[in-house]
Amino acid sequence: MAQLVLIIIGVIIIGILGRIGFKFSQYGQPKHLSPSSQPQTADDSAVTLFIPGYAGNRFSFGGMLQRFVRSGVANKSLVIMIDRHNQPHVTGHLDAYRPMVQLVFATPRVAVRQQAAGVLAVVKYLLAHEHVQTINLVAHSMGGVVLFQYLTTAAQLVNLPEVRKVVTIGAPFNDSEVGQNTYPIENHPLTTSGPTQTTPVYNYFLRTLQRLPNTISYLNIAGNIGDEVQSDGVVALNSALSLKFLLRPVVDRYHEFVVHGKNARHSRLHENYEVDRQIVQFLYPEPTKTVVDKK
């Protein structure tokens, strides 16, 4: 009997590992819509880059991108691995219609500035090799800080693609540590003029975000699992939503959305179907496309 139980457990473990391995393989591959479509609007033509958080990998946005393709929303055109020297290694081809690009860092536990330099290298590659003129940026967790570091750097350069839309998901804009999780969760209350206490990352962006063009639209998504701190279990709402004070000069182009419940947990935000809907509606504002709510 004991031997039978061990066999059953072994089969279950093998099945789970096989499923994980299959997803790992699928999440690292481009996937295109069939039949292909032609862009009708500027939103359809923009290339959207997905930036993972600290220690992120192909699982970070792999599921979301797969759902977008399966739902007929957009093409997962490219998967770009950024090596430790910030050189992009590209798989796939760029579609004309709603191309999405998944970024994966070979060394995912590095500083914000180094990852932002990697994003810049990818953008320069897309400009030089694909003649990309407009981009969107979507980022989770520390990737949101990386995203804004890229924007402040790019604002000082010339002839880079125009950034149309930015989406941040559970990003720590007023935490002392923006990468590794720290406890207790850092939580500085917000007043009508901003946080009661600010951190170096917040103060840096307070000085530098004034460089950004006033043409970018922003969607800031945060999670609230209903804990005492009012957080997603890692990042406090007050930290994520402090972005609106950093973007005060363009507040009319800033939107925020809070996800509630157990699926609002930090590591689950990019697997949350309401987050999917908000992103799709923001990037591609049309009523005819919806995200499939099945895995």
Side-chain angles (χ1 to χ4, degrees):
M1 184 67 176
Q3 187 176 7
L4 178 60
V5 171
L6 290 176
I7 292 173
I8 293 173
I9 293 174
V11 170
I12 292 173
I13 292 174
I14 291 172
I16 292 172
L17 292 177
R19 181 174 174 80
I20 293 173
F22 177 76
K23 283 190 173 183
F24 185 80
S25 175
Q26 291 293 303
Y27 286 177
Q29 298 297 320
K31 191 170 181 61
H32 308 277
L33 296 176
S34 180
S36 60
S37 302
Q38 291 300 313
Q40 303 297 318
T41 67
D43 288 327
D44 292 342
S45 300
V47 179
T48 303
L49 278 60
F50 289 78
I51 306 169
Y54 181 81
N57 52 44
R58 64 179 68 183
F59 283 104
S60 299
F61 277 115
M64 178 183 287
L65 297 183
Q66 188 177 72
R67 293 190 298 274
F68 288 174
V69 176
R70 188 172 59 224
S71 303
V73 171
N75 287 284
K76 183 182 178 183
S77 295
L78 303 177
V79 177
I80 301 182
M81 173 68 73
I82 303 167
D83 68 23
R84 63 190 182 93
H85 302 295
N86 283 334
Q87 295 299 311
H89 301 267
V90 182
T91 302
H93 68 268
L94 200 67
D95 299 274
Y97 179 78
R98 297 183 179 180
M100 301 183 297
V101 178
Q102 180 182 18
L103 303 189
V104 182
F105 293 93
T107 51
R109 294 177 173 85
V110 297
V112 167
R113 288 182 184 274
Q114 184 173 341
Q115 288 201 358
V119 175
L120 178 60
V122 168
V123 173
K124 287 182 175 180
Y125 171 89
L126 293 173
L127 176 63
H129 296 272
E130 302 290 350
H131 311 293
V132 169
Q133 297 300 313
T134 57
I135 62 173
N136 303 318
L137 299 167
V138 180
H140 174 249
S141 192
M142 188 187 89
V145 180
V146 171
L147 185 160
F148 276 97
Q149 178 64 58
Y150 164 78
L151 288 178
T152 58
T153 301
Q156 303 176 80
L157 304 176
V158 296
N159 298 327
L160 288 178
E162 173 194 2
V163 178
R164 287 175 54 80
K165 297 181 180 182
V166 162
V167 180
T168 48
I169 309 167
F173 294 110
N174 196 28
D175 277 27
S176 299
E177 170 57 64
V178 298
Q180 301 181 60
N181 299 343
T182 57
Y183 295 95
I185 294 171
E186 196 163 0
N187 181 30
H188 304 299
L190 300 178
T191 69
T192 55
S193 58
T196 55
Q197 183 178 335
T198 59
T199 62
V201 66
Y202 182 94
N203 293 333
Y204 170 76
F205 285 134
L206 192 63
R207 297 191 305 270
T208 58
L209 291 192
Q210 59 184 327
R211 304 173 186 165
L212 303 187
N214 60 8
T215 55
I216 303 173
S217 295
Y218 302 88
L219 172 61
N220 185 24
I221 299 173
N224 184 3
I225 59 174
D227 58 345
E228 184 177 352
V229 181
Q230 300 294 290
S231 74
D232 62 13
V234 174
V235 177
L237 271 181
N238 285 332
S239 179
L241 299 184
S242 65
L243 178 61
K244 62 187 169 187
F245 297 100
L246 296 173
L247 295 175
R248 186 174 292 168
V250 289
V251 70
D252 58 319
R253 304 184 72 92
Y254 170 85
H255 312 274
E256 60 187 34
F257 182 81
V258 178
V259 186
H260 297 272
K262 62 180 182 180
N263 287 327
R265 190 165 294 279
H266 189 73
S267 62
R268 297 292 300 170
L269 283 170
H270 44 58
E271 308 304 324
N272 187 297
Y273 293 116
E274 188 54 46
V275 172
D276 285 1
R277 293 188 185 96
Q278 292 295 322
I279 293 174
V280 170
Q281 183 178 354
F282 179 69
L283 295 180
Y284 313 115
E286 61 170 332
T288 58
K289 297 290 186 184
T290 57
V291 178
V292 176
D293 288 2
K294 296 180 181 178
K295 292 187 177 179

